[in-house]
Amino acid sequence: MKNKEELIDKYFKPNFKSAIQRKDKVEYLDYQANLAYTNLGKNLHYLIFTYGCIGNSADSETIKGILDSANFQETKNEHEADIFILNTCAIREGAEDRVWGELGRLKKYLIFKPQIIFILAGCMSQEENTIKKVLAKYNHVDIILGTHNLYKILDYLHVVLTSHEKVIEVFSYEGAVFAHLPKKRLNNFKVFVEIMFGCDEFCTYCIVPYTRGKERSRKKEDILEEITRLIENGAMEVNLLGQNVNSYGKDLYENYSFGDLLQDIARLHIPRIRFMTSHPHDLDLKTILAIKNHPQVMPHFHLPVQSGSNHILQKMNRHYTKEEYIDLVTTLRQYVPKISITTDIIVGFAGEQEADFLETIDLVKKVGFDGAYTFMYSVREGTPAAKFSEQVDNKIKNQRLQVLMAMTNEGSLSKNLSMVGHYYPVLVESISNKGNLLCGYTPDYRLVNFAGSDQLIGKIVQVKIIKAKTWFLLGELDEQP
Ligand code: 5AD
Ligand code: SF4
């Protein structure tokens, strides 16, 4: 086994400085399966833990697709696993702590099965300090790979399985765009399709532009072809993914943007289209019109506002004011009156005074969100805001979070209550974890639980809402044909 410094030097190290320079050209590549690996995974089981956002879930689908192509088998049983893969999230410190805890907990399996392979993948691998920490404290990790090179996972497994060497390879570069990556999807009726990767917004608190690379769009032909195949295979709902879907196409086309893509996908006749996440600064009328004119585009908009204080929005580098955000919501509601609007809000960002927080409270009152994800600001090393003075005390952050959550929860409940007694089409997804009920979402993205046969999974059914809670609705299946 090589010593630690040698290991770090031998392989690429993630590096924020080069990540921010972004001068490499984006490569468009085609994934080619290596036939030499067809049986690499024979008799080997892998278990994958996925943390964080929907982008990571999409990456896990790719990792599974690639592993299955080499005859590895997925398991949910820790005792059966020969390979543990942690597909990690770096967005907040809490997300990272969960991963460190899990790495420590899983180590015990090595006592009975010393040959178990541990793989650390995802956004944490892209951080400068992760490799050092892994080598110092979690030396049982065999492979560290970043977000840009997960397509090479079979090469790395081949090295470990044949030579028992550690592999650490993390690229700090723009990232390529791959066509034809294999994917193992959760089901065939609700599918996730990445339309773009990376982010160029550089909000000052956020690690994503560094861990996920330059904003780069997939070619529209590739996206439309993939969705056409998915529809042939039974897709009822497609979820278009990107860190900033509204800026789709800007890097590739002069005259083709996200609104055009939505229209083209709507013409493929899939019953439901959703997308996330949107940046207020890039939202244009073409996108709003695509939602208005195509009933397949579901009336739900996740539009993170982050703060209601103009001073804080500026420090966050968000490129809009509170007033502009409220105008945008008003326009959305004028064009699509039934639209539900959800958001993300951060409290306790560096320099946030009580008066700034009250601006956020005022914005929440004025907008009346249908739902909100609320977070305490978490300092991310390497981002500009980590160096800002006036960091807010944790106790104050927590107090503000409680006040805000009480308010946004009340907002969700009152919106949910207004749905009681009405009928909605629901795409049935699975059996809920609340007993034997089915669950699925209304067009405006509210979770409904109701009794019914599991034969309905994958179908759209009419459901009458009979009870409202803060986070979900209870319904009754409409048996009428
Ligand atoms: N601290 C707290 N929340 C953050 N988010 C992103 N970075 C941070 C951070 N450093 C939140 C934003 C974003 C959501 C996905 O996570 O609200 O919209
Ligand atoms: Fe992070 Fe801002 Fe990009 Fe969203 S838009 S991923 S918050 S940098």
Side-chain angles (χ1 to χ4, degrees), residues 97-347:
D97 288 345
R98 270 196 293 283
V99 171
W100 297 126
E102 203 68 341
L103 263 182
R105 185 185 69 79
L106 293 170
K107 193 176 174 185
K108 64 176 185 237
Y109 288 103
L110 285 168
I111 301 171
F112 312 102
K113 247 196 212 177
Q115 73 279 18
I116 289 180
I117 296 172
F118 282 85
I119 304 181
L120 195 79
C123 285
M124 270 172 76
S125 306
Q126 294 290 144
E127 289 187 283
E128 284 176 318
N129 286 330
T130 298
I131 296 178
K132 279 187 210 145
K133 185 159 174 179
V134 166
L135 292 171
K137 285 199 180 162
Y138 301 89
N139 211 16
H140 54 294
V141 173
D142 302 281
I143 299 175
I144 306 181
L145 67 133
T147 54
H148 299 302
N149 55 331
L150 55 86
Y151 68 97
K152 289 176 77 179
I153 192 165
L154 294 181
D155 294 330
Y156 307 146
L157 276 165
H158 181 250
V159 171
V160 176
L161 286 166
T162 52
S163 71
H164 307 286
E165 261 198 43
K166 263 192 203 306
V167 180
I168 303 172
E169 190 162 66
V170 178
F171 298 162
S172 186
Y173 88 137
E174 316 296 303
V177 175
F178 271 94
H180 305 121
L181 278 169
K183 281 205 169 255
K184 180 181 183 183
R185 297 179 195 273
L186 191 62
N187 58 54
N188 60 348
F189 56 86
K190 178 175 177 173
V191 293
F192 297 87
V193 172
E194 287 157 301
I195 59 166
M196 61 179 308
F197 305 93
C199 181
D200 281 351
E201 290 293 336
F202 288 101
C203 301
T204 53
Y205 50 81
C206 186
I207 195 86
V208 169
Y210 312 92
T211 60
R212 292 265 161 193
K214 184 183 171 61
E215 223 166 80
R216 51 210 193 274
S217 303
R218 283 179 68 195
K219 292 183 182 152
K220 61 180 180 185
E221 297 77 17
D222 288 349
I223 297 171
L224 293 170
E225 205 231 32
E226 182 178 349
I227 296 175
T228 305
R229 296 284 90 77
L230 290 166
I231 295 171
E232 284 165 5
N233 200 28
M236 301 287 281
E237 175 178 306
V238 62
N239 289 262
L240 308 173
L241 305 183
Q243 300 296 345
N244 180 9
V245 285
N246 302 134
S247 71
Y248 172 81
K250 285 184 182 163
D251 54 326
L252 263 188
Y253 306 111
E254 259 180 31
N255 242 329
Y256 190 91
S257 61
F258 181 61
D260 298 295
L261 183 69
L262 270 183
Q263 293 201 38
D264 280 346
I265 296 172
R267 289 194 189 102
L268 298 177
H269 302 299
I270 180 158
R272 290 183 166 206
I273 302 167
R274 298 186 187 279
F275 54 87
M276 72 186 306
T277 292
S278 303
H279 192 299
H281 164 63
D282 290 309
L283 174 55
D284 61 4
L285 193 58
K286 225 185 213 177
T287 300
I288 300 177
L289 285 172
I291 307 175
K292 177 180 158 62
N293 296 335
H294 297 279
Q296 302 100 303
V297 184
M298 295 289 101
H300 167 231
F301 221 105
H302 185 64
L303 196 61
V305 66
Q306 313 299 0
S307 170
S309 151
N310 287 338
H311 158 67
I312 295 295
L313 285 170
Q314 198 181 18
K315 282 186 80 177
M316 288 176 160
N317 194 29
R318 291 291 291 179
H319 308 291
Y320 55 84
T321 61
K322 174 186 180 187
E323 293 72 27
E324 283 165 347
Y325 184 90
I326 293 173
D327 281 353
L328 209 49
V329 170
T330 310
T331 310
L332 266 169
R333 285 181 173 150
Q334 267 163 4
Y335 280 87
V336 191
K338 283 194 185 135
I339 201 156
S340 77
I341 297 176
T342 54
T343 200
D344 293 344
I345 302 172
I346 298 175
V347 295

Side-chain angles (χ1 to χ4, degrees), residues 347 354 357 376 394-404:
V347 295
E354 193 60 22
F357 177 62
M376 286 201 283
N394 257 342
K395 215 170 119 196
I396 295 179
K397 281 186 196 170
N398 198 6
Q399 280 166 0
R400 289 181 186 163
L401 185 72
Q402 299 312 320
V403 173
L404 184 63

Side-chain angles (χ1 to χ4, degrees), residues 72-85:
F72 289 89
Q73 262 185 300
E74 188 181 1
T75 178
K76 305 270 181 224
N77 178 354
E78 291 181 3
H79 295 274
E80 194 181 28
D82 304 289
I83 303 167
F84 285 116
I85 305 165

Side-chain angles (χ1 to χ4, degrees), residues 28-42:
Y28 282 79
L29 305 169
D30 212 8
Y31 178 79
Q32 304 282 345
N34 183 343
L35 295 179
Y37 294 147
T38 310
N39 270 324
L40 188 67
K42 204 162 173 232

